[in-house]
Amino acid sequence: MSYTIKETRATASKLHEVDINNIVMGHAFTDHMFICDYEDGKWQNPRIEPLHEIPTHPAAMALHYGQAIFEGMKATLGKDGSPLLFRPDENAKRLNFSADRMGMPLFPEDLFVEGLKRFLAIEHHWIPTSEGSALYLRPFMYADEAFIGMRAATKYKFIIFASPAGPFFSKPIKLWAETKFIRAANGGTGEAKAAGNYAAAIRPTELAKAKGYDQVLWLDARDFEYIQEVGTMNIFFKIAGKWITPNLGGSVLAGITRMSVIDLLRDKGYEVTERPIAMHEIIEASEQGSLEEAFGAGTAVGIAMVEEIGYQDMRITFPAGNPVSEDVKETLNQIKLQEVEDKFGWIVPVELGIPQPR
Ligand SMILES: Cc1ncc(COP(=O)(O)O)c(C=O)c1O
């Protein structure tokens, strides 16, 4: 379906105020936003406007009952200067999976992708080109009906805004396997990209950081034994030459990087199994010398090598080097920059009026 997306341009760009190639993610924002309202049972008035604050009623339901979901994606610049999206249809699908779980209206998936393309056609000058950089895109939806009471809201906003982002973890990371707090239990909201999941992770992450770790490694809610995922990443281990990653058992977010990495590893000839992984298996592999590599995989971070897992009073360490993880990281980056053939068909170029070479 083709949509009419009204465009109102900013009178001046703030681009000259920031060094987009030397920036930490999340501090600077581009000039525009895509916005669409849900009212009277339908999505309406999709538009691009100068980035602005949105008036919020104190009774806006997202603030009280937490109907808020989001996505995270990155745009890079292709060789011919076109912005490139990575599997945007998967983000559109996942947003709707989250919306369904949280009792929110589904957003048309073709409008999600069309909105991103139109937004990037305006904001492409904001895509950084330094190594490991990209334009981080944040599509999200929240309930903005003013109402007190526990039911699904009848008014929502869907918005896309963007922030130029440099590389995230340049060094291997240390993970704290958490045995007091949980992120998700089966039947809960862990499979959805719901804002509340992240709220509940903030304090445990602060405590892990105070112990010297970068992120929490979440364990299952019943036994604190089976590995789920990391703060904003899925996790992969290489034990005795084979790759394993926790299965999506109902409490793990279905990462788009995760699904891509599984394909890449298999394409490189590795066996990859999705199954429950117990902490004691990791400890035993470490004791036997068969624990070879581990990495976290997610859009914001890319591939982050793991050098240590702290668990109770143990420190499980990984050998330096990570040859396969480095290779996967490199291939994924090359695909995202059109430096190698995109044989999986993951890249979606955005057409510009006049592309400018990188
Ligand atoms: C909890 C969680 N797990 C995993 C991921 C990785 O997902 P993706 O690869 O789609 O970014 C993310 C990031 O979105 C996340 O927030």
Side-chain angles (χ1 to χ4, degrees):
M1 183 169 158
S2 156
Y3 293 93
T4 305
I5 300 174
K6 192 176 158 216
E7 281 181 24
T8 312
R9 298 292 184 108
T11 46
S13 173
K14 294 192 299 307
L15 184 56
H16 66 277
E17 293 172 16
V18 271
D19 177 3
I20 54 168
N21 282 306
N22 188 14
I23 199 164
V24 179
M25 179 174 140
H27 293 274
F29 303 100
T30 68
D31 297 316
H32 297 86
M33 65 201 276
F34 173 91
I35 180 161
C36 193
D37 310 313
Y38 184 87
E39 281 184 42
D40 303 325
K42 57 179 190 295
W43 287 104
Q44 35 189 301
N45 194 13
R47 57 204 186 273
I48 292 173
E49 297 179 342
L51 185 74
H52 59 81
E53 294 183 358
I54 309 164
T56 305
H57 194 285
M61 290 176 78
L63 300 180
H64 304 268
Y65 311 112
Q67 276 187 305
I69 56 174
F70 67 99
E71 277 302 317
M73 345 179 28
K74 276 182 174 174
T76 43
L77 269 195
K79 285 206 166 116
D80 68 352
S82 311
L84 306 176
L85 286 164
F86 186 75
R87 311 188 79 175
D89 45 324
E90 294 294 342
N91 292 91
K93 268 194 248 167
R94 190 171 64 187
L95 180 94
N96 278 341
F97 177 86
S98 304
D100 183 60
R101 175 63 185 85
M102 305 306 286
M104 301 166 78
L106 304 191
F107 192 78
E109 291 177 15
D110 53 353
L111 179 55
F112 180 103
V113 177
E114 185 61 27
L116 280 166
K117 287 182 174 173
R118 294 280 294 274
F119 175 78
L120 276 174
I122 296 175
E123 300 293 62
H124 64 101
H125 301 288
W126 284 86
I127 302 175
T129 50
S130 57
E131 202 187 332
S133 300
L135 183 62
Y136 184 82
L137 299 158
R138 171 54 61 83
F140 73 110
M141 189 200 295
Y142 69 99
D144 72 341
E145 180 188 354
F147 177 72
I148 296 174
M150 252 299 289
R151 61 153 170 77
T154 59
K155 288 185 185 172
Y156 297 85
K157 284 207 172 0
F158 171 82
I159 294 175
I160 303 169
F161 67 94
S163 173
F168 213 93
F169 291 122
S170 40
K171 290 192 309 193
I173 55 172
K174 292 185 167 65
L175 304 178
W176 174 251
E178 179 56 59
T179 51
K180 178 175 177 199
F181 302 107
I182 61 155
R183 174 185 177 276
N186 283 355
T189 60
E191 279 182 304
K193 209 161 159 57
N197 292 342
Y198 297 84
I202 286 173
R203 186 68 185 134
T205 307
E206 281 176 356
L207 294 170
K209 284 187 177 166
K211 289 192 201 58
Y213 291 88
D214 298 290
Q215 286 276 325
V216 172
L217 177 65
W218 297 106
L219 303 178
D220 76 277
R222 203 185 71 172
D223 303 320
F224 289 99
E225 171 67 5
Y226 291 94
I227 293 170
Q228 292 182 333
E229 59 186 304
V230 185
T232 56
M233 295 180 273
N234 297 107
I235 186 146
F236 288 75
F237 296 93
K238 182 164 173 264
I239 298 181
K242 293 178 183 166
W243 285 94
I244 49 174
T245 188
N247 54 309
L248 302 175
S251 48
V252 172
L253 189 82
I256 293 154
T257 317
R258 175 188 182 278
M259 67 170 88
S260 310
V261 159
I262 291 174
D263 287 349
L264 278 181
L265 281 170
R266 287 186 179 145
D267 188 59
K268 287 177 185 290
Y270 293 96
E271 195 178 311
V272 187
T273 312
E274 299 172 65
R275 63 165 172 83
I277 305 171
M279 273 308 296
H280 74 251
E281 182 180 350
I282 302 296
I283 295 162
E284 270 168 36
S286 172
E287 286 166 357
Q288 288 162 6
S290 57
L291 187 61
E292 293 165 5
E293 297 184 39
F295 62 80
T299 298
V301 172
I303 304 290
M305 313 309 161
V306 177
E307 66 175 8
E308 183 185 317
I309 296 177
Y311 175 62
Q312 298 170 344
D313 55 0
M314 275 173 258
R315 290 158 76 93
I316 305 159
T317 54
F318 290 78
N322 302 296
V324 184
S325 314
E326 292 288 357
D327 183 38
V328 169
K329 179 177 176 172
E330 174 75 5
T331 307
L332 196 59
N333 284 341
Q334 286 173 331
I335 292 174
K336 289 183 178 180
L337 293 170
Q338 278 181 326
E339 288 172 359
V340 292
E341 187 204 343
D342 172 28
K343 63 180 176 181
F344 301 96
W346 288 338
I347 296 298
V348 175
V350 176
E351 277 181 34
L352 296 177
I354 313 158
Q356 295 163 6
R358 178 144 62 93

